[in-house]
Amino acid sequence: MASGESPYKRTTYRYSPLLALLLVPNSIIHRSWGKFIFSASDLLVGLFIREILKLRKVVCTVSVMVWLLNPFTFTIGTRGNCEPIVCAMILWIIFSLMKGNLSQAAFWYGLVVHFRVYPIIYALPIILVLDSKLFRSGPKPSLEDWNSHTSSTEKKTFHFSVRSLFSRERIMFGLISGGVFLACNAVSFYFYGHEFLHEALLYHLTRTDPRHNFSIYFYHIYLHYERQFSAVEKLISFLPQFTLQLALVFSFSKDPVFCMFLQTVAFVAFNKVITAQYFVWFYCLLPLILPWSRMKLKWEGILCIILWIGAQTHWLLWGYMLEFKGVNVLLQLWMASLVFLAANTFVLVKIIQRHRFSPLFRQYGSSDGKNVEKLD
Amino acid sequence: MGSKRGRSVIAATFIFFSMSCLNSISTTQAGTSMLDSDTFCISDQYIMKSYFTTQSSLKESEFRNFLRLQQCSENIPYEKDVPVVAMLQHREVTGEGSHRHLLTTIKLLRQSHLHELVIVERLPLGVFADPFELQSLQQRRAFSDVSVFGDTDLEQPSFRSNRSVVEIHVEINGNGEISVELPLHARYQLIGESGYSRVEFGEPDLFLCSRHVPNQEHQQRRCLVLSVGRSKTQTRSVVWDIPAGIRSHTEYVSVITFVAAVLSAFSILVASVLSSKVESCKNTKEL
């Protein structure tokens, strides 16, 4: 890109041209510029985690350490992967929402969806939490004080009325983020045309990779690769993912951080392709939900960690046999992905069961004297 | 008289066959017979670059025709080159798994004033070379020049990709023996019954060329087609068995995959709904 060419000349480049632009100093200043940026973003994520928890009146050094000292996450940045930037943007969006900066949150949301398509799954919980009873742009929203040791008397889910669906805040958020997203895409399309559309957007939406990866679908895709899948087949394989995302949103939207965490884990686990870098997407949200979990490290926490890592290691052993020893273990590798899905399901169910549900925002109407007494 | 002539014919035939047998090298001409001079000229840095400007397939016959047509211009002095024979001393695929090396050892049996050996490796369907990896090898001086032509998509499985060609340029040093290790990677193969797909490597095309002078793009370079002989030990063909999907797995893999997805999604869904109900029960109790 530094010499004026398209970044898509490299056949495996599948990101926004903004990322390539960010990395141009690699050719000009120093070849490790990108890694410095990603590592700095990694530290920024740690800072955001601390600030978000402070806003919720929680001091939890362990949570921050879970991100900063996680060997997987800091090596992701140092090896040159851009995920820490995406995580920093997501956390900044959460932070902005908590501070009441709607336009800022919307701007960064539009940008992050252009950058990496997956944050589109957060659209629904964010829109839902912008309920006018909870959030009004301008005055700072009042955050639920969970320290008062009382559970909220409100229902977990939102009441719907057509009028509230199109509240001012929701429309504003939609317009700003949609506008930013379209503007970024328009500029990229102007410079790089259809190549940008195919490589950076459509590829991710239609990606079916037959090469072995953690997903349970890889062998099914490989065995059917000679013939294309019909629309019905594609729909059927998308149904579990879609249904689950909707169910999670409608169950937990008042606690959007917890909702986003569950959605991300589920999205990754049921995706057609799973590579290890996708785990970072929920690693950055995990510290934000830990303070509300009743799960103790001994022994339930340790069991979850061992099961999840163990299932991955098991898969990797078969992957090693296939790729580096040349032995046909495709069937065993596929079964290892089923085991990994089972481990993901188990851990997710346990986290749901042990979570102390805590809505992010307090209802405006109820922040007067009446309810304050009740909360005591 | 008749018997004398007959005996002469038999003797001549016998001598002819003896001389053939005494020759321990079974020489095989690389391709069909060339014109009397096996020399041609190209204007590009790479032979294959010139080839792909006019051709698109990797058929042997088309390649031979192409070489036949690359006449040298008049300002290139004509020299009757003494035919140079190269011996393919060793050729094998080393390593394990999906990432291996194609090791080729060539010995030139005669000196020549042309100092650059060009190896054109037409890769079979099913394997590919990574252009970025080869570039870094070139930077580390493993080759003086290297380029990949044809289908260089690193991600496509075998039946969706086309073949590719690697052209390697190596400087010839004093002893005329060159060893080249080309890193190759396996593509995902067509599914079959046995679980493995066999990929077979043919012989490379070898040429001796004059050195490429940079910044003189249209300067013609002379190249000589080398006749390649195989040593006695190198008689078996070079093969690579790559794991491939098994067709009989198709039905039950699809069904079990879908059932697993539904069961997992259902468990998480139930846990979510139950968790919501538990919380609201708690709330009503506290009221």
Side-chain angles (χ1 to χ4, degrees):
Chain A
M1 200 167 174
S3 41
E5 309 237 26
S6 162
Y8 300 104
K9 277 218 162 131
R10 180 162 181 158
T11 52
T12 47
Y13 185 76
R14 308 226 192 262
Y15 302 102
S16 160
L18 289 178
L19 177 64
L21 187 68
L22 189 67
L23 296 176
V24 159
N26 263 25
S27 314
I28 301 169
I29 301 175
H30 191 279
R31 49 184 234 156
S32 294
W33 160 265
K35 293 184 181 180
F36 284 127
I37 294 283
F38 303 145
S39 307
S41 305
D42 189 283
L43 295 173
L44 206 60
V45 169
L47 179 69
F48 288 159
I49 290 169
R50 189 162 153 266
E51 293 306 308
I52 289 171
L53 291 176
K54 258 166 70 176
L55 271 186
R56 295 191 84 177
K57 303 209 178 72
V58 169
V59 175
C60 193
T61 327
V62 172
S63 286
V64 181
M65 274 162 53
V66 160
W67 168 263
L68 287 177
L69 299 182
N70 185 339
F72 186 84
T73 55
F74 63 68
T75 52
I76 275 280
T78 51
R79 81 165 191 165
N81 200 293
C82 71
E83 306 300 346
I85 296 185
V86 179
C87 293
M89 285 202 258
I90 301 278
L91 290 182
W92 181 249
I93 292 164
I94 296 172
F95 187 71
S96 304
L97 283 172
M98 288 168 74
K99 285 268 190 187
N101 287 332
L102 182 69
S103 26
Q104 231 198 98
F107 172 82
W108 286 100
Y109 185 69
L111 191 62
V112 86
V113 176
H114 163 78
F115 212 72
R116 271 318 223 149
V117 184
Y118 90 90
I120 196 74
I121 62 173
Y122 304 144
L124 202 49
I126 292 176
I127 291 284
L128 285 177
V129 93
L130 294 177
D131 185 315
S132 50
K133 287 198 193 136
L134 297 175
F135 189 101
R136 274 175 215 149
S137 57
K140 204 172 129 175
S142 86
L143 300 171
E144 184 71 54
D145 185 359
W146 79 291
N147 279 319
S148 55
H149 300 298
T150 335
S151 348
S152 165
T153 54
E154 294 136 32
K155 274 206 195 144
K156 277 189 176 183
T157 55
F158 290 97
H159 285 293
F160 276 113
S161 72
V162 177
R163 202 166 7 141
S164 72
L165 203 62
F166 293 101
S167 72
R168 187 170 159 270
E169 286 73 30
R170 285 172 175 161
I171 291 174
M172 258 184 74
F173 187 88
L175 283 177
I176 297 174
S177 56
V180 169
F181 176 72
L182 287 173
C184 290
N185 284 348
V187 169
S188 307
F189 184 75
Y190 174 77
F191 282 105
Y192 303 109
H194 287 284
E195 240 187 344
F196 154 72
L197 272 183
H198 284 128
E199 302 286 348
L201 286 181
L202 295 176
Y203 170 79
H204 295 289
L205 295 174
T206 58
R207 180 180 186 180
T208 49
D209 205 333
R211 293 175 299 167
H212 58 281
N213 61 85
F214 290 115
S215 173
I216 57 170
Y217 295 104
F218 91 85
Y219 199 24
H220 162 76
I221 291 169
Y222 175 29
L223 291 171
H224 286 93
Y225 213 71
E226 286 170 71
R227 64 167 188 87
Q228 297 290 343
F229 286 116
S230 69
V232 176
E233 276 170 326
K234 282 188 185 164
L235 194 67
I236 290 176
S237 47
F238 187 57
L239 222 48
Q241 171 82 283
F242 183 71
T243 322
L244 192 55
Q245 290 291 316
L246 280 183
L248 288 171
V249 168
F250 288 118
S251 301
F252 301 111
S253 46
K254 273 200 173 171
D255 188 354
V257 180
F258 183 60
C259 183
M260 283 161 71
F261 172 79
L262 295 179
Q263 277 186 277
T264 316
V265 178
F267 181 76
V268 172
F270 286 86
N271 204 23
K272 297 275 167 36
V273 175
I274 304 173
T275 60
Q277 70 194 67
Y278 296 172
F279 300 155
V280 183
W281 298 347
F282 53 76
Y283 279 151
C284 66
L285 296 172
L286 177 65
L288 298 175
I289 64 151
L290 279 181
W292 286 269
S293 183
R294 277 180 241 118
M295 197 187 293
K296 296 270 178 290
L297 192 63
K298 283 189 193 179
W299 294 102
E300 212 172 9
I302 286 182
L303 176 69
C304 285
I305 293 171
I306 288 176
L307 274 179
W308 196 76
I309 292 180
Q312 259 186 73
T313 312
H314 171 243
W315 187 97
L316 287 169
L317 285 171
W318 289 113
Y320 174 80
M321 290 297 294
L322 177 70
E323 191 168 342
F324 295 100
K325 292 292 177 191
V327 183
N328 187 335
V329 289
L330 285 164
L331 197 68
Q332 292 91 320
L333 192 59
W334 165 72
M335 290 198 272
S337 350
L338 294 176
V339 169
F340 185 57
L341 178 68
N344 271 305
T345 308
F346 177 81
V347 170
L348 211 54
V349 165
K350 278 276 162 257
I351 289 176
I352 292 171
Q353 287 173 343
R354 298 281 176 266
H355 185 77
R356 225 170 311 184
F357 185 80
S358 53
L360 188 60
F361 297 119
R362 190 186 300 174
Q363 194 142 331
Y364 270 111
S366 63
S367 60
D368 53 15
K370 226 178 176 186
N371 264 26
V372 169
E373 285 164 41
K374 260 196 187 169
L375 286 169
D376 291 330
Chain B
M1 200 65 170
S3 59
K4 244 192 190 169
R5 197 184 292 160
R7 264 182 267 146
S8 310
V9 167
I10 292 167
T13 316
F14 177 76
I15 291 164
F16 172 73
F17 275 115
S18 310
M19 282 174 69
S20 309
C21 288
L22 274 171
N23 195 344
S24 61
I25 303 163
S26 62
T27 48
T28 49
Q29 286 290 337
T32 55
S33 61
M34 301 290 292
L35 297 171
D36 36 293
S37 160
D38 292 344
T39 305
F40 61 93
C41 287
I42 50 156
S43 326
D44 289 300
Q45 188 182 353
Y46 303 101
I47 298 172
M48 293 314 293
K49 190 173 174 188
S50 301
Y51 177 76
F52 277 111
T53 52
T54 52
Q55 305 293 329
S56 56
S57 89
L58 283 169
K59 282 202 202 116
E60 174 98 22
S61 51
E62 288 190 32
F63 188 54
R64 299 288 150 223
N65 283 334
F66 165 79
L67 293 178
R68 213 184 293 246
L69 292 169
Q70 303 309 303
Q71 298 296 326
C72 294
S73 65
E74 279 136 21
N75 57 348
I76 304 290
Y78 175 77
E79 287 168 37
K80 182 87 177 97
D81 293 294
V82 180
V84 181
V85 177
M87 180 105 89
L88 206 59
Q89 284 194 315
H90 191 64
R91 191 152 159 93
E92 66 165 338
V93 173
T94 59
E96 288 180 307
S98 306
H99 314 284
R100 301 197 186 186
H101 290 87
L102 180 62
L103 182 64
T104 312
T105 310
I106 299 154
K107 189 166 174 69
L108 294 173
L109 295 180
R110 202 162 286 149
Q111 297 288 349
S112 167
H113 58 280
L114 300 167
H115 291 289
E116 191 169 77
L117 177 68
V118 175
I119 305 167
V120 172
E121 199 71 71
R122 277 173 291 158
L123 298 177
L125 203 60
V127 296
F128 67 94
D130 184 346
F132 304 108
E133 189 180 15
L134 294 179
Q135 256 172 39
S136 70
L137 280 177
Q138 185 187 339
Q139 280 165 5
R140 277 181 269 152
R141 304 266 182 267
F143 319 121
S144 63
D145 215 342
V146 66
S147 192
V148 187
F149 300 90
D151 191 340
T152 55
D153 188 327
L154 311 181
E155 296 175 346
Q156 287 289 2
S158 176
F159 39 92
R160 289 271 178 92
S161 74
N162 295 304
R163 290 176 64 186
S164 58
V165 187
V166 183
E167 183 170 324
I168 305 168
H169 296 201
V170 183
E171 282 281 322
I172 297 169
N173 53 21
N175 64 4
E177 190 168 296
I178 294 117
S179 205
V180 169
E181 207 172 344
L182 178 63
L184 294 174
H185 310 275
R187 291 194 190 279
Y188 259 59
Q189 304 295 304
L190 260 173
I191 60 173
E193 313 299 335
S194 66
Y196 290 90
S197 173
R198 177 157 281 201
V199 165
E200 205 162 317
F201 289 86
E203 278 172 12
D205 288 305
L206 300 178
F207 308 93
L208 268 181
C209 293
S210 53
R211 277 199 196 91
H212 170 70
V213 182
N215 305 323
Q216 288 192 32
E217 288 304 325
H218 298 291
Q219 180 77 20
Q220 285 205 322
R221 300 165 66 204
R222 273 183 74 232
C223 290
L224 185 66
V225 179
L226 293 181
S227 302
V228 184
R230 257 200 230 152
S231 71
K232 252 183 167 175
T233 50
Q234 195 55 43
T235 46
R236 59 179 202 285
S237 53
V238 180
V239 294
W240 180 356
D241 288 321
I242 303 172
I246 297 175
R247 199 178 299 274
S248 53
H249 291 167
T250 313
E251 295 297 329
Y252 66 82
V253 163
S254 303
V255 170
I256 296 175
T257 302
F258 182 62
V259 168
V262 167
L263 281 177
S264 298
F266 187 69
S267 325
I268 300 167
L269 204 140
V270 165
S272 310
V273 168
L274 284 178
S275 154
S276 311
K277 284 218 164 87
V278 163
E279 287 287 343
S280 49
C281 278
K282 256 199 227 162
N283 294 343
T284 48
K285 269 189 193 157
E286 271 166 30
L287 283 173

